[in-house]
Amino acid sequence: MAAKSRIFALLLLSAAPLAAVPTPALAASEAPQRSFTGEDLFKLEGANDPQVSPDGTKVAYVRSSADVMADRDARTIWLVDLASGRHTPLVAGGSPRWSPDGKRIAYVGRGSGEGAGPELHVRWLDTGADSKLTTLVEAPGGISWAPDGKSIAFTMRVPDDGLKLGQAPAKPEGAKWADGLEIIDRVTYRFDDAGYIKPGFDHVFLISAEGGAPRQLTFGKFDDGAPLSWAPDGRSIVFSANRRADWEREGNDSDIWSLDVGSGALTQLTKRYGPDAAPQVSPDGRMIAYVGFDDKYRSYENAQLYVMNRDGSGARSLTGKLDRSIDGLAWSGNSIVVSYDDKGEKKVARVGLDGSIKVLASGLSAGAGYDRPYTGGDFSVSKGGTVAYTASGTDRPADLWVTSGGTPRKLTSLNATWLADKAMAPVRKLPVTAPDGRAIDAWLAVPPGLQPGQRVPLILEIHGGPNAAYGPAFSTDVQLYAAHGYAVLYTNPRGSTSYGAEFANLIDRAYPGKDYDDLMAAVDAAIAAGVADPNNLFVTGGSGGGVLTAWIVGKTDRFKAAASQKPVINWLSEALTMDGTTFTSRYWFDKRPWEDPMSYWNRSPLSLVGNVKTPTLVVVGSEDYRTPVSESEQYYAALQIRGVPTALVKVPGASHHGLAERPSQSAAKAAAILAWFDKYRTDKGAGGAAAQ
């Protein structure tokens, strides 16, 4: 299941220093804080959206850092010269895209003045001159240069009047009346991160690279999506859109379309049932690569890499035998560079037109949104095959890397200086075997300085999705928990992605289910490894992990306390209140809620609440539309009725995917969970036991 006011203050974690720092001239109060703390979230920087220049000599990337005064992510575009290694900050902004000649970069920057929104800019690298092309009503997306460099295509939302019903009386001049009626008639009328959807549709626009008014190229009551890809002759653009008459109820049936830039004529190139997306025209203009799958209403399908002729004929899959899901692609000569997750690790590989696959880089990870160790990472490729990408380990956010097919080269060390004074939690792979004999990937983080044979309390951290994956990536939650004296166990139980379609679909129409057994086997493995204290076990997880957390405490009393974050508690109510209105009843159940209510109820954690004895914290963002706030409130109310120790934590202004977006709230959320667990620990020295 991806702050307007403050309801709790930023809590500072109380882990004791791990060891004396060898600087005797410093007083204890002046010595560096060796433990990773909530305050450190404001120091983190990460590399995102690397864009290698067409000639492969430079890389522009977005450096994310936290603005401590605004409590938000601040983004700056930097440039790295690969020959000299010189790093140059360019401008505040994001989405850098190179012009075909490599002399300019288009990007999205924020305008000046109160309430100014995103604007499209072009920067000349030789002079440093910067031009705002136009003032836009809505944020531009999918920036794509025309092959001749004279114009730029992008997508932008076009407001619509929406449905009108009746007319209010005329308001007297100067009167202060209530706001007008809000009339909703869309099937999906709100969306997580975006809130309630204002009437309007996303369309394709064209603007001169020298500025001026943009020209709208597509029209209609449909959303036309990025990315946009030009044909080499500059006469047409291909993109993905769902333009069927019943698109609102068939939201997973997008197709590839070709737009004639001169006439505005649209040609549909794909027609199978299922999502076709991310089209890219080959350098010679003969073929189009794209990703998609045949939709069979299963909870999970691998997105395959396809190629077809420029007119839409001859479509064929290149990765049908890979059994992994392709999530990014770019042409490089006569082959296609793609990214995909494999056993909890994102990789970049070159795919030939014959279906051959060669891995170019691995260990990709994200440079932002790193509260939990999800797989992630970005890449781009030059005409000559130089690949720029973001990657890291478990001890820091992503840095910028580059490879031309040989040994990868690291270009940045964004956090090296200040992290040198920090004791970060080591993370290792933990072998786990499920009761049915399946191997389950798991990772175990331990408090820094943990001695061999020393047992500590364990937090089982469960990923969301549930079709998603954790991996050996940096996580602020994991580091904060470990710094506080807990071992942290995270796993990829059945249903996780990156292990093939069969493994992911083991929970199709059966979630929660045997994934519970996988998680318990992982806990048993952590105990058997001599790390986890079997008398001090705790469990938490978000979204799908919140579902499983609530399911677990309804099935067993072995955990001392739990924290269910943004869960689904009642599938009947979730199916009718989540943002993707048609999703749950189509992809996770066979019938609609009113047709077979018991199938929904039997898989709802609320059905097990009568068994719960475990003190359970409930955490949710106040603007969560994916697993709506009402789900968490139902669980909190049920626990209160039963007399189970509980508390409800709401994160003000936070969406489902943005629960930890603001650094102060991310730190406070982790601290609140730790404080809840500390209440129920039975060992001595809670709050940094391993640091004693």
Side-chain angles (χ1 to χ4, degrees):
M1 288 306 170
K4 297 180 180 176
S5 62
R6 184 167 296 175
I7 57 172
F8 49 81
L10 173 62
L11 303 177
L12 298 180
L13 304 184
S14 58
L18 295 172
V21 179
T23 50
L26 292 177
S29 61
E30 298 172 322
Q33 168 59 274
R34 291 278 287 157
S35 297
F36 188 77
T37 71
E39 290 177 322
D40 291 331
L41 271 64
F42 288 97
K43 302 174 185 176
L44 294 168
E45 293 191 339
N48 298 280
D49 198 9
Q51 296 295 315
V52 62
S53 62
D55 62 4
T57 63
K58 303 178 183 67
V59 179
Y61 74 99
V62 178
R63 182 183 293 191
S64 294
S65 59
D67 182 337
V68 70
M69 301 307 293
D71 191 21
R72 290 191 181 277
D73 181 44
R75 301 201 163 199
T76 305
I77 300 171
W78 283 66
L79 188 67
V80 182
D81 182 86
L82 298 187
S84 66
R86 184 176 66 252
H87 293 241
T88 306
L90 292 184
V91 66
S95 302
R97 296 297 181 267
W98 290 92
S99 63
D101 60 8
K103 296 180 179 180
R104 294 164 291 170
I105 291 178
Y107 69 95
V108 177
R110 186 162 293 277
S112 59
E114 186 75 19
E119 295 172 342
L120 185 59
H121 291 249
V122 169
R123 187 175 186 87
W124 280 256
L125 295 181
D126 56 350
T127 65
D130 193 284
S131 173
K132 182 185 76 174
L133 297 189
T134 187
T135 298
L136 301 175
V137 178
E138 300 284 344
I143 299 170
S144 182
W145 286 84
D148 62 5
K150 294 181 179 180
S151 57
I152 300 171
F154 61 94
T155 59
M156 186 174 66
R157 192 159 188 82
V158 179
D160 185 80
D161 289 337
L163 178 66
K164 301 294 184 182
L165 293 174
Q167 186 173 354
K171 182 173 68 173
E173 185 176 352
K176 295 183 179 180
W177 284 17
D179 292 338
L181 303 179
E182 291 185 42
I183 300 174
I184 296 170
D185 66 343
R186 291 186 67 156
V187 175
T188 297
Y189 57 91
R190 58 184 183 179
F191 204 79
D192 196 64
D193 294 329
Y196 281 78
I197 300 173
K198 295 180 180 179
F201 298 92
D202 294 340
H203 288 302
V204 180
F205 287 78
L206 188 68
I207 190 171
S208 168
E210 297 179 354
R215 176 166 67 97
Q216 186 173 341
L217 298 180
T218 62
F219 301 85
K221 295 184 180 296
F222 311 98
D223 288 319
D224 300 319
L228 308 176
S229 179
W230 288 82
D233 61 9
R235 296 179 180 178
S236 59
I237 298 171
V238 296
F239 63 93
S240 175
N242 185 342
R243 285 179 156 257
R244 53 185 292 167
D246 58 349
W247 64 269
E248 286 200 83
R249 290 176 178 80
E250 294 289 350
N252 214 29
D253 191 25
S254 58
D255 289 296
I256 309 302
W257 294 77
S258 178
L259 166 69
D260 185 284
V261 175
S263 68
L266 288 171
T267 303
Q268 185 175 348
L269 301 180
T270 61
K271 297 180 180 179
R272 57 96 173 265
Y273 184 75
D276 292 325
Q280 295 290 326
V281 182
S282 62
D284 61 11
R286 295 177 53 250
M287 307 182 76
I288 298 174
Y290 62 100
V291 295
F293 58 82
D294 293 303
D295 192 349
K296 301 174 184 176
Y297 295 164
R298 298 196 298 178
S299 63
Y300 176 81
E301 300 289 349
N302 282 330
Q304 297 183 38
L305 173 66
Y306 287 84
V307 291
M308 62 182 173
N309 296 324
R310 182 68 185 81
D311 62 1
S313 64
R316 58 191 175 94
S317 172
L318 298 181
T319 59
K321 296 181 180 180
L322 178 62
D323 197 20
R324 296 293 185 267
S325 190
I326 305 301
D327 57 22
L329 68 95
W331 283 93
S332 176
N334 291 322
S335 60
I336 305 161
V337 177
V338 303
S339 61
Y340 59 90
D341 288 350
D342 180 34
K343 297 182 179 180
E345 182 181 32
K346 185 172 288 297
K347 297 180 177 180
V348 175
R350 185 180 298 277
V351 180
L353 295 179
D354 60 356
S356 60
I357 299 175
K358 179 183 178 181
V359 174
L360 302 176
S362 58
L364 272 70
S365 59
Y370 25 64
D371 60 313
R372 291 183 288 161
Y374 281 110
T375 58
D378 304 320
F379 82 94
S380 68
V381 59
S382 72
K383 292 180 179 178
T386 299
V387 177
Y389 62 98
T390 59
S392 75
T394 59
D395 61 342
R396 64 199 62 209
D399 278 299
L400 180 64
W401 293 70
V402 68
T403 182
S404 296
T407 302
R409 181 158 57 107
K410 188 179 180 182
L411 299 179
T412 64
S413 296
L414 300 181
N415 299 280
T417 301
W418 74 272
L419 279 179
D421 286 329
K422 290 291 177 178
M424 305 302 286
V427 180
R428 64 180 173 88
K429 195 83 171 284
L430 181 70
V432 175
T433 302
D436 64 358
R438 288 182 182 270
I440 302 297
D441 273 352
W443 292 265
L444 185 63
V446 299
L450 183 72
Q451 299 302 307
Q454 182 182 5
R455 290 188 181 272
V456 290
L458 177 78
I459 296 175
L460 171 62
E461 160 60 54
I462 310 170
H463 73 62
N467 297 131
Y470 277 163
F474 178 71
S475 162
T476 55
D477 277 3
V478 169
Q479 291 294 333
L480 290 171
Y481 296 160
H484 203 66
Y486 290 81
V488 186
L489 171 68
Y490 61 93
T491 76
N492 285 335
R494 67 193 64 207
S496 299
T497 55
S498 76
Y499 300 90
E502 187 265 346
F503 187 83
N505 277 309
L506 288 173
I507 62 168
D508 183 37
R509 271 59 173 183
Y511 163 77
K514 290 186 177 180
D515 38 2
Y516 167 86
D517 299 324
D518 298 345
L519 295 167
M520 295 305 100
V523 172
D524 292 339
I527 295 171
V531 173
D533 178 355
N535 297 313
N536 281 286
L537 303 176
F538 302 85
V539 59
T540 188
S543 192
V547 174
L548 282 165
T549 297
W551 188 260
I552 284 169
V553 296
K555 301 274 284 185
T556 180
D557 298 334
R558 71 185 301 192
F559 294 91
K560 291 294 183 182
S564 179
Q565 304 178 54
K566 49 188 179 182
V568 173
I569 294 303
N570 183 347
W571 289 112
L572 285 157
S573 55
E574 186 271 353
L576 300 174
T577 57
M578 75 169 294
D579 52 357
T581 311
T582 62
F583 179 82
T584 299
S585 59
R586 173 170 290 183
Y587 292 98
W588 285 357
F589 293 88
D590 291 322
K591 296 182 179 180
R592 294 166 181 168
W594 53 89
E595 295 171 341
D596 186 13
M598 289 309 298
S599 66
Y600 287 75
W601 179 250
N602 290 336
R603 286 163 53 189
S604 296
L606 191 59
S607 70
L608 302 178
V609 74
N611 301 332
V612 178
K613 298 177 183 177
T614 306
T616 301
L617 187 71
V618 186
V619 183
V620 68
S622 66
E623 296 183 12
D624 188 328
Y625 298 124
R626 182 61 44 83
T627 57
V629 178
S630 57
E631 293 296 310
S632 293
E633 291 174 336
Q634 285 182 70
Y635 199 46
Y636 171 72
L639 293 170
Q640 286 285 23
I641 290 169
R642 287 212 57 246
V644 177
T646 186
L648 176 65
V649 174
K650 284 189 177 181
V651 181
S655 65
H656 187 81
H657 292 109
L659 188 66
E661 183 174 293
R662 305 189 75 168
S664 73
Q665 291 181 332
S666 182
K669 178 199 71 128
I673 291 170
L674 286 168
W676 183 258
F677 290 170
D678 284 349
K679 283 169 59 74
Y680 300 99
R681 285 173 66 161
T682 59
D683 64 322
K684 303 299 181 181
Q692 303 302 317

